[in-house]
Amino acid sequence: MFQHIPVLADEVISYLAVQPGGKYADGTLGGGGHARLLLEASAPDGQLIGTDRDEIALAAARENLAEYGSRLLSFHANYTELAGFIKTHYADGADGILLDIGVSSPQIDTPSRGFSYMHDAPLDMRMDQTCGQSAKDLINTLPQADLRRIIQEYGEEKWAARIADIICERRALAPIESTFQLVDVIERAIPKGAREKDTHVAKRTFQAFRIATNDELGALEKAIDDLVGALKTSGRLAIITFHSLEDRIVKNKFKYLAASCICPPKLPVCTCDKVSEVRIITRKPVTAGQHELKNNRRAASAKLRVVEKII
C-alpha cells in the first residue's frame, strides 16, 4: 500500500489556518496523509483539489480518501498544473495550497521504480511512469558535460567529473541499465578513502539523476508564481522541502514575491514598479520537533515555508 507518515502535520494545518468550509489544494497527494488532515480540519463541507504525477500514489490516495466523497477532486497531473484546476473549480481561488516536494518513502521502497541504490532494478526514477525520459535514457545519451553538470549541481557531488567520465567509458561498451550498474560506476569513481562515512557512496548521484529525470527544480520554480496567482486574497501557500536546493528556490522566490522594490540599493528613486504580492509568514523554515523525529526519520530534513497572498 502506498502510504507514508505526513511530515509536519500539525504545523501544516496551523500555518495554513485551515477553516471549516474552506477550499484547499494539495499538489503532491501521495498516499493522502496531508490531504486527510486538510479534509478533516475543513469539515463538514470544506473542499480539496489534489494532484499527483504518480498513478500508483493517486490510486492509493483515492482509495484512502474515498470516505470524503465529492469533497475531494483528484487528478493525475504534475503540480505545475494545479493552478489551472484551482481556477477551474474554485471561482474565488483557494484558501490554502500545500506542496510536499520530493520523492516519497513508498517510491524509494519499491525496488522496481529504480529510485533506490539499495536494490537492483531498472534505472527508471520517473515519478510519472506514463511519460518522459527515464534516468537510464539520460545516463546513456547525455554528453559528458551535461552528466557532470547534473551530478555536480543537483547532487552537490565533488567527484562529478570522474563519475561522468566513467559513465561515458562504461556505456561505450554496453548501456548502463540497472541501479547496481550505476552504483558500480560510482564506486569505481570515488576512492574508498574519500567516501563519507555515514552516507552511501551513491546517494548524491542518485539524487541528482532523480531530480534531473523529473525536472524537480524547474517544476518548483515554475509552480510558485502560478500557485500564488491561484490563491484568494489572504490565502496561504505552504511548501515542504527536503534538501537545500529546493529550500533555496522556495526561500528566494518567496523573498522576491514579498519585495516591494527590486531596484539597486544606490538608486535614489524607485523605478521598478514592483509591488508586494505576499507576506512571509515563516521568517525561518519550520522544522520537526523531537517527538516527531522519534517517530518519523524522514522528517529530519523537512523544512516548511509559508506565505500569505496580500493582493
Side-chain angles (χ1 to χ4, degrees):
M1 179 64 70
F2 197 107
Q3 292 179 324
H4 72 282
I5 304 170
V7 301
L8 300 170
D10 293 339
E11 291 84 352
V12 164
I13 299 303
S14 175
Y15 278 98
L16 282 180
V18 181
Q19 299 294 323
K23 295 181 178 180
Y24 300 95
D26 183 347
T28 45
L29 207 51
H34 283 116
R36 177 178 293 277
L37 297 171
L38 291 167
L39 287 163
E40 290 178 351
S42 63
D45 55 351
Q47 295 176 278
L48 179 72
I49 293 173
T51 59
D52 204 293
R53 64 199 300 189
D54 187 325
E55 284 190 312
I56 298 173
L58 186 63
R62 286 170 172 165
E63 180 180 346
N64 293 339
L65 302 172
E67 65 193 90
Y68 297 100
S70 61
R71 290 180 59 202
L72 171 68
L73 291 175
S74 59
F75 302 93
H76 177 224
N78 193 320
Y79 64 72
T80 55
E81 303 171 72
L82 179 59
F85 292 115
I86 293 171
K87 291 175 181 178
T88 297
H89 295 279
Y90 295 163
D92 299 325
D95 292 291
I97 302 171
L98 171 67
L99 297 182
D100 178 4
I101 304 298
V103 68
S104 69
S105 299
Q107 287 169 330
I108 294 173
D109 295 339
T110 303
S112 62
R113 300 297 297 271
F115 287 105
S116 176
Y117 41 76
M118 301 300 292
H119 306 282
D120 196 20
L123 266 173
D124 193 326
M125 297 195 193
R126 289 174 299 167
M127 293 179 183
D128 185 347
Q129 293 184 298
T130 67
C131 63
Q133 290 186 306
S134 68
K136 182 184 76 173
D137 296 328
L138 300 183
I139 288 166
N140 286 290
T141 61
L142 288 179
Q144 191 273 354
D146 288 342
L147 293 172
R148 175 179 179 173
R149 178 186 58 79
I150 287 170
I151 300 168
Q152 194 167 49
E153 291 184 11
Y154 298 163
E156 299 177 298
E157 172 59 74
K158 63 182 180 181
W159 292 91
R162 177 67 176 152
I163 295 169
D165 285 342
I166 297 182
I167 286 174
C168 292
E169 291 174 8
R170 181 68 67 86
R171 76 187 189 188
L173 301 175
I176 299 170
E177 298 184 330
S178 75
T179 54
F180 277 7
Q181 286 175 340
L182 180 58
V183 170
D184 182 62
V185 166
I186 298 164
E187 288 178 337
R188 284 186 57 198
I190 303 178
K192 290 185 178 180
R195 298 176 189 177
E196 298 177 48
K197 292 183 179 180
D198 299 325
T199 302
H200 193 284
V201 67
K203 180 179 180 179
R204 294 180 183 276
T205 301
F206 268 66
Q207 172 184 291
F209 282 116
R210 190 203 81 219
I211 289 173
T213 298
N214 297 286
D215 188 27
E216 293 178 34
L217 302 185
L220 180 58
E221 184 88 37
K222 177 183 183 298
I224 293 175
D225 283 328
D226 293 342
L227 292 175
V228 168
L231 288 168
K232 63 175 61 174
T233 301
S234 299
R236 293 186 175 187
L237 170 61
I239 303 181
I240 301 172
T241 60
F242 289 88
H243 61 71
S244 60
L245 297 175
E246 297 168 339
D247 183 59
R248 192 177 305 130
I249 289 173
V250 177
K251 176 184 177 180
N252 291 338
K253 197 67 176 178
F254 282 2
K255 184 178 179 180
Y256 175 82
L257 291 170
S260 58
C261 176
I262 55 172
C263 290
K266 294 183 179 180
L267 200 67
V269 179
C270 176
T271 60
C272 69
D273 297 323
K274 174 79 168 60
V275 295
S276 298
E277 298 177 56
V278 302
R279 177 171 67 94
I280 295 175
I281 302 299
T282 52
R283 289 294 167 184
K284 293 183 178 180
V286 178
T287 57
Q290 290 301 313
H291 177 73
E292 180 172 6
L293 293 173
K294 287 181 180 179
N295 295 290
N296 187 7
R297 291 185 301 169
R298 182 172 178 259
S301 56
K303 293 182 178 180
L304 169 68
R305 293 186 186 269
V306 184
V307 291
E308 180 178 275
K309 186 174 181 178
I310 59 176
I311 60 171

